Amino acid sequence: MWGKIQRMKKFIVALFTFLLAGVLYAQSSQVITEILNTKNVTFGQVCYLSAVNQGLVKEKASFEECINALYEDDQLPVIVNPMTPVVLVDLAFLYAKIWDIKGGIFYRLTKGSPRYAFKQLKKDGVIGKNADPSDFISGVEALNLLTSCMFTYGGMSLDNITESDTLGGR
């Protein structure tokens, strides 16, 4: 009986937390939903993911603010149009900047050029072996790559997820 009450309390607290987080982060969830429904992810969307993930901007920031934040932090060589579709090589470059990947010798010599960022993510298994650097990618693919980078470079692992991180502690 006592165990059921504890699980119910955990479930209610988790549910309340998720609802509160949903209200607080409505902007972020709208952007994520938009990205998931995108056939070709744009620089604005990817820069949003990068800048918010790094804490350079708040979640309510516009795509232009995210691009400017990354430019000012020397993660973008130029200001880009937020509506321009991103090719895989540029996505690899932006994601490599999030975690400051050390990479191989050519990556370091070129100060993290997009070409060698792509090659490094490919070598590390984040990007598939048959991937073409000039491919446009969907929002789902961009988010999947972000998640793969989090597991590969960000220290996330399934082992780090505890019982309290799951809904109701189940």
Side-chain angles (χ1 to χ4, degrees), residues 28-63:
S28 179
S29 65
Q30 284 178 336
V31 172
I32 298 298
T33 301
E34 177 185 319
I35 291 171
L36 285 170
N37 293 325
T38 300
K39 182 179 176 185
N40 292 325
V41 74
T42 65
F43 268 103
Q45 293 167 328
V46 172
C47 289
Y48 176 86
L49 292 172
S50 178
V52 169
N53 189 324
Q54 296 177 73
L56 298 175
V57 296
K58 301 221 184 275
E59 291 190 9
K60 294 186 186 246
S62 69
F63 292 158

Side-chain angles (χ1 to χ4, degrees), residues 12-167:
I12 291 172
V13 168
L15 183 62
F16 178 77
T17 303
F18 287 130
L19 290 174
L20 181 62
V23 170
L24 291 175
Y25 299 112
Q27 172 69 22
S28 179
S29 65
Q30 284 178 336
V31 172
I32 298 298
T33 301
E34 177 185 319
I35 291 171
L36 285 170
N37 293 325
T38 300
K39 182 179 176 185
N40 292 325
V41 74
T42 65
F43 268 103
Q45 293 167 328
V46 172
C47 289
Y48 176 86
L49 292 172
S50 178
V52 169
N53 189 324
Q54 296 177 73
L56 298 175
V57 296
K58 301 221 184 275
E59 291 190 9
K60 294 186 186 246
S62 69
F63 292 158
E64 291 83 5
E65 291 170 320
C66 296
I67 289 168
N68 288 332
L70 292 177
Y71 177 75
E72 290 170 9
D73 200 47
D74 290 327
Q75 294 185 38
L76 276 177
V78 296
I79 299 289
V80 292
N81 180 336
M83 299 310 294
T84 302
V86 175
V87 292
L88 191 52
V89 69
D90 292 329
L91 182 71
F93 173 75
L94 288 167
Y95 283 1
K97 294 291 185 176
I98 294 174
W99 289 279
D100 194 27
I101 296 169
K102 301 302 178 221
I105 189 149
F106 287 111
Y107 180 77
R108 289 190 305 265
L109 285 174
T110 60
K111 296 185 169 101
S113 77
R115 174 186 175 161
Y116 290 108
F118 174 81
K119 286 182 171 253
Q120 186 64 45
L121 268 61
K122 203 172 187 180
K123 178 184 167 279
D124 294 341
V126 174
I127 295 175
K129 292 179 182 177
N130 297 326
D132 186 328
S134 63
D135 283 345
F136 291 102
I137 60 168
S138 70
V140 171
E141 292 169 320
L143 289 170
N144 285 341
L145 283 173
L146 181 65
T147 303
S148 293
C149 285
M150 287 177 176
F151 278 99
T152 304
Y153 308 115
M156 281 184 63
S157 76
L158 294 176
D159 297 334
N160 294 343
I161 298 173
T162 64
E163 189 175 307
S164 63
D165 293 330
T166 61
L167 183 62

